[in-house]
């Protein structure tokens, strides 16, 4: 992995280390999904919120198995880079990966119609600090069948593209 890629991963680590203590722990790791739930107005005790949290906890356990060299239950910046650059991290069968995508789709599908509308997408894009015009244009590119909705298949393609670009 290139230094530029490692720098991006270190920046990701710094964003995740919410309390600035130099390590990412489970609380740090769950901060983003919990913040998204709050932004979307989904109570943490709602079944789909609980499913998203559990899927992220599963993923966290796998992250620790890849990079927690000293077994202390947290990841330092070096351990985080090791985790994110390991071949196992990129595996499509990574524990929690599919579940996180599926549960995220369910959370974003606020009306439970099995699709993500442009409005639902724009609401989530605001959480990612994506300007509405950019998010709308991105939605149009993701909506491959031009039906004004993202199917789970279109959404999963978007997630894959996001993490591989």
């Amino acid at each position: 992995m290139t230094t530029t890629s490692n720098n991006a991963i270190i920046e990701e680590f710094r964003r995740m280390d919410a309390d600035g203590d130099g390590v990412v722990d489970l609380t740090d790791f769950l901060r983003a999904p919990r913040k998204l739930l709050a932004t979307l107005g989904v109570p943490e005790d709602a079944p789909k919120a609980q499913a998203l949290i559990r899927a992220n906890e599963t993923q966290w356990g796998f992250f620790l198995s890849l990079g927690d060299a000293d077994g202390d239950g947290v990841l330092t910046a070096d351990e985080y880079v090791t985790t994110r650059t390991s071949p196992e991290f990129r595996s499509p069968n990574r524990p929690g990966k599919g579940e996180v995508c599926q549960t995220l789709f369910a959370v974003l599908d606020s009306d439970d119609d099995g699709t993500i509308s442009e409005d639902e997408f724009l609401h989530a894009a605001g959480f990612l600090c994506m300007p509405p015009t950019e998010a709308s244009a991105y939605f149009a590119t993701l909506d491959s069948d031009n039906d004004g909705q993202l199917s789970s298949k279109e959404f999963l393609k978007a997630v894959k593209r996001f993490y591989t670009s």
Side-chain angles (χ1 to χ4, degrees), residues 71-130:
D72 63 356
V74 299
L75 297 176
T76 64
D78 288 341
E79 290 172 329
Y80 191 79
V81 170
T82 297
T83 298
R84 290 282 279 109
T85 57
S86 72
E88 294 89 350
F89 178 83
R90 289 245 183 253
S91 169
N93 300 320
R94 180 176 80 214
K97 184 177 184 176
E99 294 87 353
V100 168
C101 291
Q102 292 165 351
T103 57
L104 180 58
F105 181 87
V107 165
L108 295 178
D109 178 16
S110 61
D111 61 6
D112 296 320
D113 69 351
T115 64
I116 297 174
S117 69
E118 186 171 358
D119 285 342
E120 290 166 330
F121 184 82
L122 291 175
H123 195 61
F127 169 77
L128 297 172
C129 301
M130 185 182 280

Side-chain angles (χ1 to χ4, degrees), residues 30-46 49 52-53 107-108 123-124 127:
L30 294 178
R31 185 175 58 91
R34 285 193 162 124
K35 187 174 178 182
L36 177 63
L37 291 169
T39 298
L40 298 175
V42 178
E44 279 196 39
D45 61 351
L52 179 64
I53 297 296
V107 165
L108 295 178
H123 195 61
F127 169 77

